[in-house]
């Protein structure tokens, strides 16, 4: 007996000793579940072993431990040749659906825009991409069953296609075909990164579901929505919108001292102007400029720029709530306002060049613009009316 057959690879796999037990017990006519109980394995494992690794040379299925061990080691050999390497027809089908030419209704090729050559990076940023058929690996894998219902050789899993694209050792497909995928991602996202807790700063007590009911109906001013608009070179402007009056405030976020001079280091200081500490301080200064009556709560996106929200709440008294993941409609007023602000701060421009005075001027422009939802009053007028009514009520009650 070869030594490789006597030494178990891992407890995950059946050993030669266990296969001998399976062979002896099955010869005695003992059932699968009883065999599994005696060797400490699941019944499905024993059933699969008897079906897959039985000897067939004698013309009938007969289980022998030595033959079963030899079959198991033969199947376990690595590396295996890829299906896309050994099956040229399958290779051409997969590559054609990934990179195939776009055609019109008459079957004529549409060239599309000229694109930059693939250099091993992600899709070009704000640039033209090559027009291709662009089926996803999952679409290709499932469509094969429809196009070739009787040909079992024309089968491949979507994971095998991904591996052929992203793992150089698998070969078969050209590396540049990753740019034909919808994401155009040059590298796969590691599973550990996908499973990482991206919003560790968002606890259950600050979820939007715990926000007071009075916030939803917009009846009482003092509840705000906030977010950032991002520009070039890690520049940003904070936006705050009052839900009831649509009154807008812009938060100036200048870069910290040393930005562009200190080399970038992992987990180093946040010098771009919207780090957690800087953002909390900027919001605290903004809150201080308004009456406490007008600052009851703040609903923010899930960005980590407000991960220091606990300190901000203690210092300002403003309760912070975070929207659910991928739910921009929960902050619809703020999203609408950010769209209006793009008239003054277009995407792809450096926002750090604007001073606090200039941001205040833009905010004043929006607050002086009549709004249909306010009965064509301006946000400034709506907020001023509320403050006057509160003042009159306080005078009447004290008098």
């Amino acid at each position: 007996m070869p030594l490789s057959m006597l030494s178990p690879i891992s407890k995950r796999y059946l050993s030669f000793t266990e296969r001998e037990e399976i062979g002896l017990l099955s010869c005695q006519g003992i059932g699968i579940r009883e065999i599994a109980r005696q060797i400490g394995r699941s019944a499905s494992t024993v059933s699969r072993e008897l079906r897959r690794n039985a000897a067939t040379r004698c013309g009938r299925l007969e289980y022998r431990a030595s033959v079963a061990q030899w079959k198991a080691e033969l199947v376990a050999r690595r590396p295996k040749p890829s299906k896309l390497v050994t099956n040229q027809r399958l290779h051409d089908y997969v590559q054609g659906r990934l990179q195939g030419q776009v055609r019109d209704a008459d079957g004529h090729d549409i060239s599309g825009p000229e694109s930059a050559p693939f250099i091993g990076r992600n899709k070009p940023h704000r640039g033209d991409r090559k027009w291709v058929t662009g089926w996803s690996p999952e679409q290709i894998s499932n469509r094969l069953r429809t196009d070739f219902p009787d040909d079992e050789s024309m089968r491949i899993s979507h994971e095998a296609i991904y591996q052929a694209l992203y793992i150089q050792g698998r070969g078969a497909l050209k590396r540049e075909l990753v740019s034909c995928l919808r994401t155009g991602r040059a590298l796969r996202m590691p599973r550990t990164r996908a499973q990482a807790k991206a919003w560790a700063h968002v606890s259950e007590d600050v979820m939007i579901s715990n926000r007071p009911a009075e916030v939803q109906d917009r009846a009482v001013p003092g509840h705000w929505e906030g977010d950032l608009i991002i520009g070039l070179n890690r520049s940003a402007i904070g936006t705050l919108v009052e839900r009831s009056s649509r009154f807008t405030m812009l938060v100036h976020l200048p870069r910290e001292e040393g930005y562009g001079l200190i080399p970038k280091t992992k987990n180093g200081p946040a010098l771009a102007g919207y780090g957690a500490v800087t953002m909390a301080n900027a919001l605290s200064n903004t809150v201080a400029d308004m009456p406490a009556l007008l600052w009851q709560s703040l609903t923010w996106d899930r960005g980590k720029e407000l991960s220091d929200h606990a300190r901000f709440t203690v210092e300002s008294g403003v309760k912070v709530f975070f929207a659910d993941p991928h739910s921009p409609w929960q902050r619809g007023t703020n999203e609408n306002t950010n769209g209006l602000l793009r008239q003054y701060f277009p995407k792809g421009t450096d926002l750090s060049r604007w001073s606090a005075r200039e941001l205040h001027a833009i905010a004043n422009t929006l607050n002086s613009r009549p709004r249909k939802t306010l009965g064509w009053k301006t946000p400034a007028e709506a907020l001023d009316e509320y403050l006057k009514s509160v003042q009159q009520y306080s005078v009447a009650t004290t008098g």
Side-chain angles (χ1 to χ4, degrees):
M1 184 68 63
L3 293 178
S4 62
M5 299 179 71
L6 296 176
S7 56
I9 302 173
S10 169
K11 291 183 179 180
R12 175 184 175 186
Y13 306 103
L14 290 172
S15 64
F16 179 66
T17 303
E18 290 174 315
R19 288 191 167 96
E20 281 189 322
E21 288 293 324
I22 292 174
L24 291 172
L25 294 173
S26 63
C27 286
Q28 298 173 21
I30 298 176
I32 290 177
R33 292 190 180 277
E34 179 61 23
I35 295 175
R37 189 188 64 80
Q38 291 192 29
I39 67 173
R41 295 281 186 172
S42 67
S44 60
T45 300
V46 177
S47 174
R48 196 162 45 240
E49 174 67 17
L50 290 171
R51 184 178 68 254
R52 286 180 178 177
N53 295 331
T56 58
R57 184 168 294 180
C58 58
R60 64 181 185 276
L61 293 178
E62 187 178 70
Y63 188 83
R64 297 176 184 175
S66 58
V67 175
Q69 184 72 19
W70 172 76
K71 280 190 171 184
E73 290 188 352
L74 186 66
V75 172
R77 286 179 182 174
R78 296 294 186 273
K80 287 184 176 180
S82 171
K83 240 185 178 182
L84 293 174
V85 173
T86 58
N87 190 334
Q88 186 62 38
R89 186 182 176 204
L90 180 62
H91 173 277
D92 294 341
Y93 181 93
V94 172
Q95 183 163 303
R97 268 60 184 177
L98 283 173
Q99 194 185 19
Q101 184 72 36
V102 173
R103 294 182 174 86
D104 61 14
D106 298 326
H108 300 130
D109 291 346
I110 303 296
S111 59
E114 291 290 333
S115 58
F118 179 77
I119 55 175
R121 299 177 184 172
N122 285 2
K123 58 183 180 292
H125 180 63
R126 299 185 185 276
D128 290 327
R129 294 180 64 183
K130 183 180 179 181
W131 286 3
V132 295
T133 302
W135 286 20
S136 71
E138 187 176 12
Q139 289 171 330
I140 296 172
S141 175
N142 287 280
R143 184 65 187 184
L144 280 166
R145 299 180 182 276
T146 302
D147 292 347
F148 305 95
D150 301 323
D151 191 351
E152 290 296 325
S153 66
M154 295 295 286
R155 301 286 185 271
I156 190 170
S157 67
H158 65 276
E159 177 60 26
I161 299 175
Y162 276 120
Q163 289 191 11
L165 289 171
Y166 285 108
I167 301 177
Q168 290 293 322
R170 303 294 293 176
L173 296 176
K174 295 181 290 185
R175 183 72 175 85
E176 55 265 28
L177 285 180
V178 298
S179 63
C180 299
L181 298 176
R182 180 186 58 80
T183 60
R185 192 174 287 132
L187 296 173
R188 296 189 82 173
M189 182 183 295
R191 184 173 297 176
T192 53
R193 189 188 308 170
Q195 295 174 347
K197 194 171 182 179
W199 301 300
H201 61 287
V202 181
S203 57
E204 186 63 30
D205 57 328
V206 294
M207 291 289 295
I208 194 172
S209 56
N210 294 322
R211 195 171 63 174
E214 65 180 23
V215 182
Q216 187 64 29
D217 58 12
R218 302 176 186 266
V220 180
H223 302 284
W224 299 70
E225 296 177 2
D227 196 8
L228 296 179
I229 55 175
I230 306 296
L232 283 184
N233 303 321
R234 299 186 61 80
S235 59
I237 296 174
T239 62
L240 298 170
V241 187
E242 203 280 312
R243 284 175 54 85
S244 177
S245 63
R246 277 66 173 183
F247 189 85
T248 302
M249 299 184 70
L250 299 183
V251 184
H252 187 225
L253 299 172
R255 295 194 178 103
E256 296 290 326
E257 184 178 352
Y259 179 85
L261 302 176
I262 300 176
K264 294 181 180 179
T265 56
K266 186 176 182 179
N267 298 326
L271 304 178
Y274 54 95
V277 176
T278 306
M279 190 73 211
N281 293 337
L283 286 177
S284 297
N285 295 333
T286 304
V287 171
D289 295 336
M290 298 280 285
L293 177 68
L294 293 178
W295 281 100
Q296 303 298 321
S297 73
L298 172 62
T299 304
W300 200 267
D301 194 11
R302 292 213 160 196
K304 290 188 176 181
E305 65 273 1
L306 205 58
S307 57
D308 199 17
H309 61 88
R311 180 174 66 87
F312 167 71
T313 299
V314 171
E315 294 179 354
S316 64
V318 179
K319 297 180 180 178
V320 177
F321 300 95
F322 291 94
D324 293 326
H326 316 297
S327 304
W329 59 87
Q330 295 178 343
R331 302 170 18 268
T333 306
N334 184 236
E335 292 289 334
N336 176 265
T337 303
N338 287 349
L340 299 178
L341 287 169
R342 285 301 185 183
Q343 177 181 354
Y344 305 97
F345 310 114
K347 293 182 179 180
T349 61
D350 191 348
L351 304 182
S352 63
R353 52 184 168 157
W354 308 116
S355 65
R357 174 173 170 269
E358 291 165 327
L359 296 185
H360 180 74
I362 296 300
N364 184 60
T365 300
L366 288 186
N367 294 330
S368 303
R369 181 184 295 183
R371 305 292 293 271
K372 181 179 180 179
T373 189
L374 299 176
W376 303 113
K377 291 186 292 188
T378 67
E381 291 171 346
L383 195 62
D384 188 55
E385 283 184 9
Y386 171 74
L387 292 175
K388 286 180 179 179
S389 65
V390 171
Q391 186 178 9
Q392 291 173 359
Y393 176 78
S394 60
V395 170
T397 55
T398 56

